[in-house]
Amino acid sequence: MAILDQAALSVLIPGTTHVLDRNGKEAYVYFETGDVAHMLLEDGESRKGAWKLVEGGYAVDWDNGVTGRWALDHEAGSVTYINRDRDVRVKLLGILFGNAKGLPRGTN
């Protein structure tokens, strides 16, 4: 396991959209260059929250009261999100520059 450090995360997170594999379907997280994040889950649910880099990863406080604390694990040819509070792993399918999916969609 090779957890990405703050220097790598500061390039790979702000101003990008992460495409995630959740339950065999795509979900998206857009990290604004400030502290706002937008998420569109595979079931159509959308969230907005405040994100920040933290020791060993990043954290986001979503508007529904849930806090996510994630590290990004790198292996040759792949990056996997690892939830630091629970035993959850989510595959990162890709990183798109900017707000590639136009998030948020509709009203949050």
Side-chain angles (χ1 to χ4, degrees):
M1 178 162 38
I3 299 298
L4 296 178
D5 64 18
Q6 297 303 99
L9 295 177
S10 68
V11 172
L12 297 176
I13 293 180
T16 65
T17 299
H18 287 198
V19 183
L20 306 172
D21 179 352
R22 286 183 40 106
N23 304 314
K25 296 181 181 177
E26 290 185 356
Y28 307 96
V29 182
Y30 169 53
F31 300 93
E32 293 184 12
T33 55
D35 66 349
V36 178
H38 304 276
M39 181 165 51
L40 178 63
L41 296 173
E42 72 282 0
D43 63 2
E45 178 186 346
S46 63
R47 297 180 186 171
K48 179 179 178 181
W51 76 273
K52 63 184 174 189
L53 292 177
V54 296
E55 180 76 28
Y58 81 92
V60 61
D61 293 316
W62 295 110
D63 56 4
N64 67 350
V66 173
T67 297
R69 294 175 186 85
W70 297 92
L72 276 68
D73 178 26
H74 174 264
E75 296 179 358
S78 71
V79 174
T80 303
Y81 271 61
I82 299 173
N83 185 298
R84 298 179 64 174
D85 297 325
R86 298 177 294 146
D87 187 23
V88 175
R89 297 176 66 84
V90 178
K91 184 176 181 178
L92 177 65
L93 298 175
I95 298 174
L96 307 171
F97 294 100
N99 187 0
K101 293 296 178 177
L103 301 180
R105 294 184 182 168
T107 43
N108 281 338

